[in-house]
Amino acid sequence: MRNFFGKTVAVGAIAMLALTACGSGRDGDTDSGSGDSAKGFAANSLIGVALPAKTSENWVLAGDLFTNGLKEAGFTSDVQYAGASTTVADQQAQITAMVTKGAKVIVIGATDAAQLSTQVTAAHAAGAKVIAYDRLITGTPDVDYYVAFDNFKVGQLQGQALLDGMKAKKPTGPYNIELFAGSPDDNNATVFFNGAMDVLKPEIDKGNVVVTSGQKDFKQIAIQGWKAEGAQARMDQLLTSTYGSKELDGVLSPNDTLARAIIQSVKSRNKAVPVVTGQDSEVESVKSIVAGEQYMTINKDTRTLVAQTLTMVKALQAGNAPEVNDTKSYNNGSKVVDTYLLPPVAVTKANAAEAYANDPKLAALTK
Ligand code: BGC
């Protein structure tokens, strides 16, 4: 099983998780059971950063920010991306090489949440700390910290925006929608979907919102590798099979890359563009929102996420326990991982200028 966390976030600590949490570091005990962090390490030590393939702009940005930020802080850095096709094997080899080179902390944006246990166990055996960045690593006790935007909240914001956007266009339902989710090997994909369904399911149950194709299970709607072409092909199929004469009011899209592919598919059939959600505040999607096409995105400022991760690395270097603000939501199937969660922000045309006010590149697009 790869994804067991969305629910956990939804209900907070259920009994089993609460029990697990007792052994994995709670308030005032933030060294998460992985050994002795009190010693710290030399200020110019090697810090490894293993990122997934560049499936969205945020990963590209993160790589640059880590390279510069680690250098500025005086560390030696090794920042790697998994390649586009052999992502899992690439990332496994990259992490192993970082361990061999003596990295003191390894920051990982997992390509496949469930396939890194051997590598992180080896990292621990060599005395390195492991920080899961943006995506949780599952099925292993050898993850020390998780730093991410609140993924469940991202899904809830997407679900709510979808409802609001459809209502603004057409005051009464029922509304016809379709659902898309991210890649099944990315733990976040399920969490985003569960967050969105937390908001949408009551409306579906009441009949106010109809998933016309009937495809509501994660497995049916997930897009392998977060690939734009996968989303476009599925949307093409749905339009042919289900929307001959029917109107499509909304599409839950988990991120901007897929949102633009879905919009592309609809436009190529000369259909009216429905309300489409997104995530990441990618340049092309922000332009599309300002132009009134894509309905919304999520602002998860990569600069903030990388800065928070660097704060954790610096704390470890000094021999201190990094600050966390969530010690119960993220059970990775092996333990509850001490987490620092940042708040995501929903962005539509209405609040884009305000939401990007401190991001010159995106702010310029809203003028
Ligand atoms: C990230 C999203 C991103 C997706 C595809 C997810 O794990 O949280 O921000 O859109 O990966 O790269």
Side-chain angles (χ1 to χ4, degrees):
M1 244 218 355
R2 283 181 182 155
N3 305 296
F4 14 96
F5 315 101
K7 273 260 165 50
T8 309
V9 182
V11 298
I14 60 171
M16 187 190 79
L17 303 181
L19 279 177
T20 318
C22 295
S24 66
R26 306 282 280 177
D27 305 334
D29 172 25
T30 39
D31 178 13
S32 56
S34 51
D36 183 9
S37 74
K39 289 196 191 91
F41 48 82
N44 63 351
S45 296
L46 177 68
I47 309 296
V49 180
L51 298 172
K54 298 175 181 174
T55 44
S56 44
E57 265 171 26
N58 52 325
W59 298 113
V60 181
L61 260 171
D64 294 343
L65 291 166
F66 272 119
T67 304
N68 297 334
L70 286 167
K71 192 172 169 204
E72 256 166 47
F75 294 109
T76 310
S77 73
D78 181 12
V79 179
Q80 300 286 342
Y81 284 97
S85 53
T86 52
T87 50
V88 176
D90 271 0
Q91 189 165 64
Q92 289 170 335
Q94 286 162 352
I95 295 168
T96 302
M98 289 168 188
V99 173
T100 309
K101 285 189 262 176
K104 294 295 181 200
V105 181
I106 305 184
V107 175
I108 303 173
T111 53
D112 185 324
Q115 307 251 21
L116 294 176
S117 52
T118 307
Q119 290 70 30
V120 296
T121 299
H124 265 188
K129 295 283 177 187
V130 174
I131 300 176
Y133 170 87
D134 188 285
R135 298 174 170 179
L136 191 58
I137 297 168
T138 61
T140 170
D142 295 313
V143 183
D144 298 291
Y145 301 98
Y146 179 41
V147 57
F149 280 90
D150 185 337
N151 302 303
F152 192 79
K153 181 81 189 167
V154 167
Q156 288 178 314
L157 293 173
Q158 290 171 329
Q160 191 56 51
L162 183 61
L163 296 178
D164 296 346
M166 292 192 299
K167 196 151 193 235
K169 267 192 174 174
K170 194 170 93 177
T172 52
Y175 302 101
N176 295 332
I177 69 163
E178 292 301 331
L179 307 170
F180 283 70
S183 192
D185 49 13
D186 175 359
N187 186 66
N188 285 352
T190 323
V191 184
F192 297 146
F193 181 57
N194 288 345
M197 288 309 271
D198 183 54
V199 175
L200 295 175
K201 191 166 178 300
E203 296 305 310
I204 294 171
D205 290 346
K206 280 188 257 171
N208 295 341
V209 169
V210 180
V211 181
T212 318
S213 69
Q215 296 178 18
K216 286 182 254 184
D217 290 343
F218 179 81
K219 274 197 189 121
Q220 295 174 298
I221 64 163
I223 301 297
Q224 189 64 43
W226 291 94
K227 294 240 163 74
E229 52 272 33
Q232 189 159 352
R234 178 163 181 260
M235 193 69 239
D236 286 346
Q237 270 165 15
L238 287 169
L239 290 172
T240 306
S241 63
T242 313
Y243 291 94
S245 55
K246 273 210 172 104
E247 207 175 306
L248 172 64
D249 297 305
V251 179
L252 175 76
S253 165
N255 83 351
D256 287 348
T257 312
L258 304 198
R260 295 195 303 275
I262 289 162
I263 291 170
Q264 179 66 35
S265 165
V266 175
K267 282 169 81 172
S268 71
R269 308 272 165 135
N270 294 319
K271 283 219 161 239
V273 174
V275 173
V276 182
T277 61
Q279 164 174 211
D280 292 335
S281 298
E282 296 202 337
V283 168
E284 288 310 314
S285 283
V286 173
K287 284 186 193 163
S288 174
I289 288 169
V290 172
E293 209 154 63
Q294 184 175 322
Y295 180 69
M296 68 86 73
T297 187
I298 301 281
N299 193 17
K300 304 193 305 183
D301 194 330
T302 306
R303 298 171 305 175
T304 318
L305 190 57
V306 170
Q308 191 59 45
T309 313
L310 293 175
T311 301
M312 280 186 166
V313 172
K314 287 175 198 163
L316 289 168
Q317 187 276 319
N320 300 325
E323 186 190 351
V324 295
N325 61 11
D326 184 309
T327 53
K328 51 180 187 243
S329 298
Y330 283 88
N331 185 320
N332 78 344
S334 181
K335 73 174 203 183
V336 178
V337 183
D338 285 351
T339 298
Y340 197 100
L341 282 184
L342 292 160
V345 176
V347 183
T348 63
K349 189 175 180 174
N351 70 338
E354 185 198 335
Y356 302 130
N358 74 351
D359 187 330
K361 189 179 71 184
L362 297 179
L365 304 176
T366 66
K367 302 238 155 79

